[in-house]
Amino acid sequence: MGKTRARIAIDAMGGDHAPAEIVAGALRARDELGVEVILVGDRQQIEAVLPANTNLGQLEIVPAQGTIEMHEEPLSGIRRKPKASINVAMNLVKQKQADAVVSAGHSGAAMASALLRLGRLSGIDRPAIGAVFPTIVASKQVLILDVGANVDCRPKFLEQFAVMGTVYSKYVLGIPEPKVGLLNIGEEESKGNDLALQAYQLLQANPKVPFVGNAEGRDILSGDFDVIVCDGFAGNVLLKFAEAVGEVLLQILREELPQGLHGQLGVSLLRPNLKRIKQRVDHAEHGGGLLLGVAGICIISHGSSQAPSIFNAIRLAREAVDNEVLERIQGSVAIAEE
């Protein structure tokens, strides 16, 4: 295990609800998770949303100038704005002044900043964003990667995603023997496009990957897989579809259950169950995705993140730090290349 008190740099200006919701989530994480939080951004705006009489212990504000807007091209944006909040937060990790960074801002800018400032882990060609999905098994989750970092992939990239996903699943999600699958249109080895066919052979031959075969769309949430790898195009479509389904399900429950007196009584009786349903299907409960493959812990949260999601993103960051995910991935990649 790693440190007992992680220092998390938080891009306080990133996201639709910055800085108020970002700050609120960070303060809750500090109080409940025992982490040190570094709020990066416009000091005046950050201080304006701090609650009165805020305890300033384990809290630091590091000034930054501006942010990367959603309409800006990521690479040019971070180069034109070296003092933007995401760049300053990444520099804190690079300089060992923070153990991880969390951002709900421009995800492309966060990835570009991480690559330029932190660099890739040795042996990793492309980083991947991993997102955790619920399954029909109440106590089980599935890690999908990549969900947006790499639209076009080579077979070797998917193999590396599988190695990184295996480490994360084992040491952060707590699955002793994770089962890895390859997203495909059929379970047979002969199915799929050239990428899937070649990736299948690499995954099957890699001793560091507990590969169990292809995963069709209907298998994703079945609980039969712990890690599923795919290119970022398919993964991002899948991620956003799953988020929409979760929101639709919650909305249907809100609309249908309270109908009439019996419905209102039922809602009261079912409130604990409904809370658990929300925890399982609401993307805010998972906080965001870990950018695996860069030489630093980086959590990319949803742009619409509010305080609960930021809290959970910081929790993910702390778990990745405490479980030494970077060191374990580097070790696994090194062994796989021997």
Side-chain angles (χ1 to χ4, degrees), residues 156-323:
K156 186 70 174 178
F157 300 169
L158 298 189
E159 180 187 15
Q160 293 171 0
F161 298 168
V163 171
M164 294 189 292
T166 298
V167 171
Y168 187 82
S169 181
K170 182 179 293 186
Y171 295 104
V172 176
L173 301 182
I175 302 169
E177 298 180 4
K179 297 177 181 178
V180 177
L182 171 67
L183 186 63
N184 208 335
I185 59 171
E187 63 181 23
E188 298 85 359
E189 181 179 347
S190 60
K191 288 290 183 70
N193 55 18
D194 288 341
L195 174 63
L197 293 172
Q198 294 179 50
Y200 189 102
Q201 299 302 318
L202 291 176
L203 293 170
Q204 193 174 48
N206 192 325
K208 299 300 295 183
V209 178
F211 182 58
V212 296
N214 287 327
E216 297 183 77
R218 63 188 176 191
D219 300 321
I220 294 171
L221 307 182
S222 67
D224 293 334
F225 295 88
D226 301 296
V227 179
I228 295 177
V229 297
C230 58
D231 64 75
F233 184 93
N236 193 260
V237 171
L238 178 63
L239 172 68
K240 291 175 180 175
F241 178 77
E243 289 175 357
V245 169
E247 291 170 1
V248 168
L249 175 59
L250 292 172
Q251 184 60 33
I252 289 173
L253 290 172
R254 293 188 193 103
E255 292 174 356
E256 297 297 332
L257 286 179
Q259 299 296 322
L261 179 60
H262 291 295
Q264 294 172 13
L265 291 173
V267 169
S268 298
L269 294 173
L270 291 173
R271 185 163 285 113
N273 304 74
L274 295 174
K275 184 177 180 180
R276 288 193 293 271
I277 290 173
K278 184 178 186 298
Q279 290 173 338
R280 289 179 63 180
V281 303
D282 189 356
H283 66 80
E285 297 292 337
H286 302 292
L290 179 66
L291 182 60
L292 295 165
V294 295
I297 301 297
C298 177
I299 304 295
I300 298 178
S301 296
H302 306 277
S304 60
S305 292
Q306 298 189 44
S309 186
I310 295 301
F311 169 83
N312 284 310
I314 296 171
R315 175 181 53 78
L316 284 177
R318 189 200 65 174
E319 290 174 352
V321 171
D322 287 349
N323 288 284

Side-chain angles (χ1 to χ4, degrees), residues 39-95:
L39 297 172
V40 181
D42 184 292
R43 179 180 293 275
Q44 187 174 5
Q45 291 187 52
I46 292 172
E47 291 179 343
V49 298
L50 285 173
N53 302 317
T54 297
N55 176 9
L56 299 180
Q58 310 302 331
L59 171 67
E60 181 181 354
I61 298 176
V62 173
Q65 297 176 10
T67 186
I68 311 301
E69 303 296 336
M70 293 304 295
H71 66 270
E72 294 184 79
E73 195 280 325
L75 190 57
S76 63
I78 64 170
R79 284 176 170 166
R80 284 188 298 102
K81 300 178 178 179
K83 295 183 179 180
S85 54
I86 186 61
N87 286 330
V88 174
M90 288 294 177
N91 282 335
L92 291 173
V93 175
K94 180 180 180 179
Q95 297 160 3

